[in-house]
Amino acid sequence: MPHDHSDHPHALLPPDPALRVKALETILTRKGLVDPTALNEIIDTYQNKIGPQNGAQVVARAWSDAEFRAALLSDATAAVSDLGYFGRQGEHMVAVENTEAVHNMVVCTLCSCYPWPLLGIPPAWYKSDAYRARVVREPRKVLADFGVTLAADTAVRVWDSTAEVRYLVIPMRPAGTEGLDLDALAALVSRDSMIGTALAQNPPQDPV
């Protein structure tokens, strides 16, 4: 049993979260409540098959293919499904495009609705009360916290994700990327830029 001394508490739980997860997994496996093979499959899926690399491919395609970009902005659910990105939390997608005039950001003010097939598991800050409360009141200050400063005449539009509608931000294509292929373009697109809390990265410069 856990016990406390007068000057410090004791606990049986290991301090490292990873160790706690491993301990919980071990207990549940020994009791026959979970299948380790299924757990490994879930971890592999979210590490290697589902994640922001999917959304980055969609953005790179939108930057390179005007017809696909138009289809994405018209019916994102159908457009990304045609690329194989669909499933739970991927229904009813809407794509919004950043321009010089408008910068888009996404939040879920009620919980943490998020397009899993395109972006994977949401980051911890996306689920935090602070982000959810502040981004609708002071989006420019939140952007500044992420290191993003926009031109004064750029409007900021915040989209509230729900169980019915989930959003994908298409960041602005950086200058000097005209000759890059899809994979090189996708490498410039981060998870945060598709939520709207970051910009697409500039391409690496050749050494002088």
Side-chain angles (χ1 to χ4, degrees), residues 180 188 202-206:
L180 299 185
L188 305 177
N202 292 316
Q205 299 296 314
D206 293 332

Side-chain angles (χ1 to χ4, degrees), residues 50-52 55 88-91 93 106 112-122 126 161 166-169 194-195:
I50 299 176
R88 188 182 179 196
Q89 304 252 2
E91 311 90 349
M93 288 294 308
V106 181
S112 58
C113 295
Y114 192 75
W116 289 7
L118 293 176
L119 301 186
I121 301 296
Y126 183 83
S161 187
R166 294 176 177 82
Y167 297 92
L168 173 73
V169 174
M194 293 181 281
I195 300 174

Side-chain angles (χ1 to χ4, degrees), residues 49 53-55 57-58 76-77 80-87 90 117-118:
K49 301 173 184 173
Q53 69 272 15
N54 294 349
Q57 288 291 335
V58 171
T77 306
V80 300
S81 294
D82 287 344
L83 297 181
Y85 306 135
F86 53 84
L118 293 176

Side-chain angles (χ1 to χ4, degrees), residues 27-101:
I27 293 171
L28 293 176
T29 300
R30 287 177 178 172
K31 290 181 177 293
L33 297 175
V34 300
D35 180 354
T37 303
L39 288 177
N40 290 336
E41 181 66 25
I42 292 172
I43 292 170
D44 177 68
T45 296
Y46 280 100
Q47 283 184 337
N48 303 309
K49 301 173 184 173
I50 299 176
Q53 69 272 15
N54 294 349
Q57 288 291 335
V58 171
V59 171
R61 179 80 177 270
W63 284 346
S64 305
D65 184 336
E67 185 176 346
F68 175 76
R69 172 179 163 274
L72 182 65
L73 292 172
S74 174
D75 184 348
T77 306
V80 300
S81 294
D82 287 344
L83 297 181
Y85 306 135
F86 53 84
R88 188 182 179 196
Q89 304 252 2
E91 311 90 349
H92 315 301
M93 288 294 308
V94 171
V96 291
E97 184 178 36
N98 285 350
T99 66
E100 295 285 356

Side-chain angles (χ1 to χ4, degrees), residues 183-206:
D183 288 340
L185 288 172
L188 305 177
V189 182
S190 67
R191 175 199 64 195
D192 290 7
S193 71
M194 293 181 281
I195 300 174
T197 56
L199 307 178
Q201 302 170 40
N202 292 316
Q205 299 296 314
D206 293 332

Side-chain angles (χ1 to χ4, degrees), residues 95-133:
V96 291
E97 184 178 36
N98 285 350
T99 66
E100 295 285 356
V102 179
H103 180 90
N104 297 281
M105 302 177 71
V106 181
V107 65
C108 179
T109 56
L110 293 178
C111 48
S112 58
C113 295
Y114 192 75
W116 289 7
L118 293 176
L119 301 186
I121 301 296
W125 56 260
Y126 183 83
K127 298 181 284 187
S128 71
D129 291 340
Y131 176 76
R132 290 157 50 197

